[in-house]
Amino acid sequence: MLIALLAFFALTGARDPILVPEVSQHEIQVRQGFTGTELLLFGAILTPDGTRAGQDYDIVVVLKGPTRSIILREKQRIAGIWVNADSTEFRSAPTFFAVASSRPIKQIVDDKTAAIYELGLPWLQLSPIGAYDPAEQARFSAGLVDLMQREGLYKEDSRGVRVSEQVLYQARIALPSSVQTGGYTAETFAISKGRVVASAISRVEVKKLGFERATALFAENYGFLYGLLAVAISIGMGFLAGRLFALV
């Protein structure tokens, strides 16, 4: 019986496909005048022996940027003035998050599987800090997602993956000019009958070059001097503008 079970699992595993992923750019260089770019994520769905998989799989691609802590504050209007009211802090919110799939996620997997693999904005794990009422957590999480969507940093495309001849897939994801530098992961999932049967990861590095990189390094390593220099430049520009207007 043990031998029969092992043979069954071996045969079952042999039927699962493997993914061979690739991206159009493994390094994105942010220079002066950078207006954003588009990543092409593509690859093949193969059997373990390297042949065509031969059946339909749904493909989901998740591109995630570096994470950082974010404090989200809610504005309230009191006596005609907008002031900060409630706030919450998220420990590890991604600075960029995009999902592209061959079909709507709810048609591919159940909510539990989607939450495990973060296959969409409703299942994004934002890790709030502290004890909060679940309803408040959901409200602030929805507010953060909405804010990042309006800035083009969170996005979801339920028809963003094209699968050709049951073997090749491709997806295009736009990165805006405000994209953060750091390491990005592009994880691809092959899904069959509601089950993730294969996954693979590609990596992309976003780097600043030239004057932008020098400025960023100076601000990071010499924060106090950078602040003083910024104030001095602001005062100087204000003084110069005042003199020019006085001459006019």
Side-chain angles (χ1 to χ4, degrees), residues 158-179:
S158 61
R159 300 287 182 181
V161 177
R162 293 175 54 193
V163 182
S164 304
E165 303 296 330
Q166 301 175 333
V167 63
L168 300 176
Y169 70 87
Q170 67 171 10
R172 297 180 183 274
I173 297 178
L175 297 176
S177 59
S178 58
V179 69

Side-chain angles (χ1 to χ4, degrees), residues 58-70:
D58 282 299
I59 298 295
V60 181
V61 177
V62 179
L63 180 62
K64 184 184 291 188
T67 60
R68 61 184 176 93
S69 61
I70 294 178

